[in-house]
Amino acid sequence: MRKKVIAGNWKMNHNPQETTKFFEEFNDLVKDSNNEIIICVPYIDVNAALEGTKGTNIKIGTQNLNHEEAGALTGDISCKMLQDIGIKYTIIGHSERREFHHETDEFVNLKIKAAIEHDIIPILCVGETLFEREKGIAKYKIVTQIVLDLDGISGEDVKNMIIAYEPIWAIGTGKTASSEDANEVCKWIRDEIRSMYGDEVADIVTIQYGGSVKPGNAKELFSMSDIDGGLVGGASLKPDDFAKIVNFDK
Ligand code: PGA
């Protein structure tokens, strides 16, 4: 049985003060959870989040990193800097970064490799646009992303990774993929991992669903055979809502 992993993605929301307040309310609500909990915060909130979750079952991640250790890269934060302050998770290849920051699969691949080298577990996001789904090329798009993004990464490393299937048309739109459709795509991803790395890796790797996950739909989605939890944007911003999602099985 794979453990369920519920990750929050705060995107560009909450300042350090709000972060401290969030955890003052949230920690108690999820302290008895059976599920793994990760919250990916803006860089500016990392210190407050690490401080606010000390000694709890909540792990803190970031939403990006630069694959270089240091250098002339204005505005970026390096894999080494994150490792030095104890960050263990990061989102990589979110569709908003692929779209607004023109991140290619090649770049995503470099970031995954750098994260792994610095003991940071990547949460790799993949997913299709509505146009791609309607044209019947969703599977092609997602399998291509998996093959390119994981190029040169060993099965041992993929075993520890988290892959999030996030249909782009479902992100922040209130439209959720049906649990059957979401499960089908998560299974495509697992099958591709199986053909690349074999049964052991495919049966262990965590595959999440993301895109308008809410307290009201989390249980149905996370109960599907190939969905091992979720990556949650909007609904991770309020302690109460996110705790309900984390506690979907209670
Ligand atoms: P959403 O975002 O839950 O607000 O749709 C999910 C994500 O982009 O990770």
Side-chain angles (χ1 to χ4, degrees):
M1 262 298 268
R2 286 181 297 270
K3 215 173 168 184
K4 302 286 179 188
V5 183
I6 321 293
N9 173 12
W10 279 3
K11 307 194 179 185
M12 199 170 68
N13 293 289
H14 288 338
N15 64 25
Q17 232 180 340
E18 290 161 341
T19 300
T20 302
K21 192 159 174 282
F22 176 95
F23 289 110
E24 280 167 8
E25 286 177 47
F26 182 68
N27 295 0
D28 238 28
L29 302 174
V30 299
K31 66 179 189 324
D32 299 321
S33 170
N34 309 314
N35 307 316
E36 226 173 284
I37 310 161
I38 305 163
I39 303 195
C40 298
V41 302
Y43 292 132
I44 197 174
D45 297 329
V46 164
N47 277 337
L50 288 173
E51 194 57 39
T53 54
K54 241 186 216 160
T56 72
N57 53 342
I58 303 157
K59 319 235 177 65
I60 298 303
T62 58
Q63 303 166 15
N64 186 32
L65 52 69
N66 190 291
H67 60 280
E68 301 286 355
E69 293 217 339
L73 290 153
T74 303
D76 272 4
I77 302 284
S78 84
C79 43
K80 172 93 174 34
M81 291 167 170
L82 296 177
Q83 179 185 34
D84 287 349
I85 57 166
I87 286 293
K88 295 280 179 214
Y89 296 86
T90 187
I91 296 171
I92 295 181
H94 190 281
S95 61
E96 285 151 17
R97 294 208 63 85
R98 292 181 191 257
E99 184 181 351
F100 306 130
H101 297 269
H102 313 292
E103 290 191 5
T104 61
D105 287 306
E106 197 184 353
F107 200 37
V108 167
N109 176 254
L110 288 174
K111 290 180 187 221
I112 294 175
K113 286 176 176 156
I116 291 169
E117 270 166 35
H118 291 82
D119 291 325
I120 297 171
I121 295 179
I123 304 175
L124 165 64
C125 299
V126 296
E128 82 285 5
T129 62
L130 188 57
F131 180 78
E132 288 159 345
R133 174 156 281 261
E134 285 171 353
K135 292 288 176 195
I137 57 168
K139 186 170 185 179
Y140 169 79
K141 164 83 175 287
I142 287 157
V143 168
T144 303
Q145 286 182 320
I146 292 290
V147 170
L148 297 178
D149 296 350
L150 298 182
D151 184 44
I153 294 163
S154 74
E156 262 328 288
D157 287 330
V158 171
K159 252 195 224 171
N160 295 321
M161 276 183 62
I162 299 170
I163 299 173
Y165 164 53
E166 296 210 309
I168 295 166
W169 48 270
I171 295 176
T173 58
K175 286 186 202 148
T176 320
S178 72
S179 45
E180 288 76 20
D181 285 352
N183 195 53
E184 183 185 30
V185 180
C186 290
K187 192 162 178 325
W188 292 344
I189 295 171
R190 201 176 302 284
D191 288 345
E192 186 54 34
I193 299 286
R194 198 176 301 284
S195 81
M196 290 165 77
Y197 297 102
D199 288 342
E200 198 197 339
V201 178
D203 292 337
I204 287 181
V205 66
T206 301
I207 304 180
Q208 298 174 319
Y209 166 79
S212 298
V213 174
K214 303 274 181 265
N217 60 21
K219 184 169 186 178
E220 189 183 334
L221 285 160
F222 301 167
S223 304
M224 301 302 287
S225 60
D226 280 282
I227 303 180
D228 308 324
L231 182 57
V232 184
S236 71
L237 292 171
K238 290 197 186 134
D240 231 35
D241 283 351
F242 195 44
K244 283 188 189 131
I245 295 173
V246 167
N247 294 328
F248 76 94
D249 50 350
K250 297 237 179 237

